[in-house]
Amino acid sequence: LRRRIIRAEKIEVVGHLAASISHEVRNPLTVSRGFMQLLLQSERVNYKDRQYIQIAIEEIDRAEAIITDYLTFAKPAPEHVERLNVKTEIERVIDILRPLANMSSIEIQAFLLPFAVKGERQKFQQCLLNVMKNAIEAMPNGGTLRINVSIDKDYVLIHISDTGVGMTKEQIERLGEPYFTTKGTKGTGLGMMVVYRIVETMKGDLFIHSEVGQGTDVYMYFPSYYKSDVEKSSKRSLEQVSC
Ligand code: ADP
Ligand code: MG
């Protein structure tokens, strides 16, 4: 028994470390990048060395992108499943992405309603972030990012649409495949894999419609919190009746 308890503790520590990565690793990465940027500006650095430094900066950006796709909201505390207000969570993600949207002159239109779903806050936010970030990155010359919340039967529907480059059938099919990216060294090809995994854990569903040159619609369905609660309580009352 004791051994089992120690093992459980160890697993908890591992989870804890993973969650700390975004905080603990991002800072040194930022500092290293800053110094390399300084080196680039130095007159004593020759052309060849400048290229090496450039490569080092790109690799740091790559590490940063991987952390972003996995651990933007990770906190050094264990997560738990709770009731999440869809409106609040989307607003938080929009706040984080607004500077990125502004850089490409993207207008964000959000029609949000405070429906409730059940899940882990960090994961849910990560999933929304990855989809919305893709939408923004699909519109390098500006456009509109629209986020719409509605109810469809027992599901909360989050509809995220962009007026960006769109995808071919082949690209849509490969979506979520690890390392599939059309963004070269700037992409990780991990964002959608994470999204699919989180949607699955939350017992949701995801559909994509996309036209090349027109834009992309992502439909994310999550079981409504209230419905699952109502079901449970009605089942309980049925059981009571049958007793
Ligand atoms: P990454 O963003 O790092 O490339 P993702 O897994 O997030 O990795 O996305 C994989 C690929 O799917 C992207 O490189 C892009 O080609 C395509 N994609 C995803 N979302 C969109 C979108 N909204 N519009 C156009 N293409 C998209
Ligand atoms: Mg992405």
Side-chain angles (χ1 to χ4, degrees):
L1 180 72
R2 201 180 123 71
R3 208 165 34 200
R4 213 177 282 161
I5 289 170
I6 290 173
R7 228 176 71 120
E9 279 171 355
K10 274 187 188 159
I11 290 169
E12 201 167 295
V13 168
V14 171
H16 182 98
L17 284 179
S20 306
I21 284 179
S22 70
H23 297 271
E24 309 282 337
V25 178
R26 261 188 174 147
N27 285 343
L29 284 181
T30 309
V31 173
S32 307
R33 196 185 193 285
F35 279 119
M36 279 188 245
Q37 205 86 54
L38 275 181
L39 266 184
L40 269 188
Q41 283 158 20
S42 159
E43 280 162 17
R44 273 170 300 162
V45 178
N46 65 37
Y47 177 75
K48 189 94 198 144
D49 290 345
R50 217 170 276 272
Q51 283 183 314
Y52 293 147
I53 297 169
Q54 200 60 57
I55 292 169
I57 289 178
E58 277 164 25
E59 291 299 306
I60 288 183
D61 288 347
R62 189 169 162 68
E64 167 72 32
I66 292 170
I67 293 173
T68 300
D69 280 352
Y70 270 112
L71 299 162
T72 300
F73 301 96
K75 288 189 187 66
E79 289 185 85
H80 58 279
V81 173
E82 58 186 316
R83 176 184 174 281
L84 303 171
N85 179 329
V86 163
K87 181 171 185 280
T88 315
E89 303 308 326
I90 295 175
E91 276 166 350
R92 166 115 168 79
V93 176
I94 291 176
D95 282 345
I96 286 172
L97 286 174
R98 206 179 289 280
L100 193 68
N102 286 344
M103 277 200 287
S104 307
S105 321
I106 291 165
E107 194 196 340
I108 302 179
Q109 297 180 352
F111 306 95
L112 309 178
L113 292 165
F115 294 129
V117 297
K118 202 188 239 174
E120 291 168 90
R121 174 164 287 118
Q122 301 166 21
K123 295 219 171 79
F124 186 56
Q125 289 178 346
Q126 184 72 63
C127 161
L128 295 168
L129 179 114
N130 289 9
V131 173
M132 286 195 230
K133 194 158 162 285
N134 280 343
I136 291 171
E137 287 166 350
M139 303 184 282
N141 304 314
T144 309
L145 166 64
R146 217 169 265 128
I147 306 130
N148 226 318
V149 172
S150 57
I151 280 277
D152 186 345
K153 297 199 185 78
D154 308 331
Y155 287 84
V156 175
L157 167 59
I158 302 174
H159 175 194
I160 295 170
S161 78
D162 65 67
T163 55
V165 294
M167 281 177 273
T168 64
K169 265 209 173 67
E170 292 72 30
Q171 285 171 341
I172 296 177
E173 267 165 29
R174 293 193 63 186
L175 218 53
E177 185 182 301
Y179 308 114
F180 166 66
T181 181
T182 56
K183 297 172 190 167
T185 52
K186 287 207 162 64
T188 64
L190 297 171
M192 286 308 291
M193 183 195 76
V194 169
V195 168
Y196 278 110
R197 217 160 49 190
I198 294 170
V199 168
E200 194 182 327
T201 330
M202 290 178 71
K203 298 193 168 60
D205 221 334
L206 188 150
F207 301 95
I208 300 210
H209 177 84
S210 189
E211 306 266 347
V212 174
Q214 299 289 311
T216 300
D217 292 283
V218 179
Y219 302 90
M220 295 197 279
Y221 290 85
F222 297 99
S224 161
Y225 181 89
Y226 294 111
K227 176 66 191 173
S228 60
D229 251 33
V230 170
E231 247 171 21
K232 247 183 261 154
S233 56
S234 65
K235 227 182 245 164
R236 215 175 296 136
S237 54
L238 271 181
E239 276 161 18
Q240 277 164 3
V241 169
S242 59
C243 289

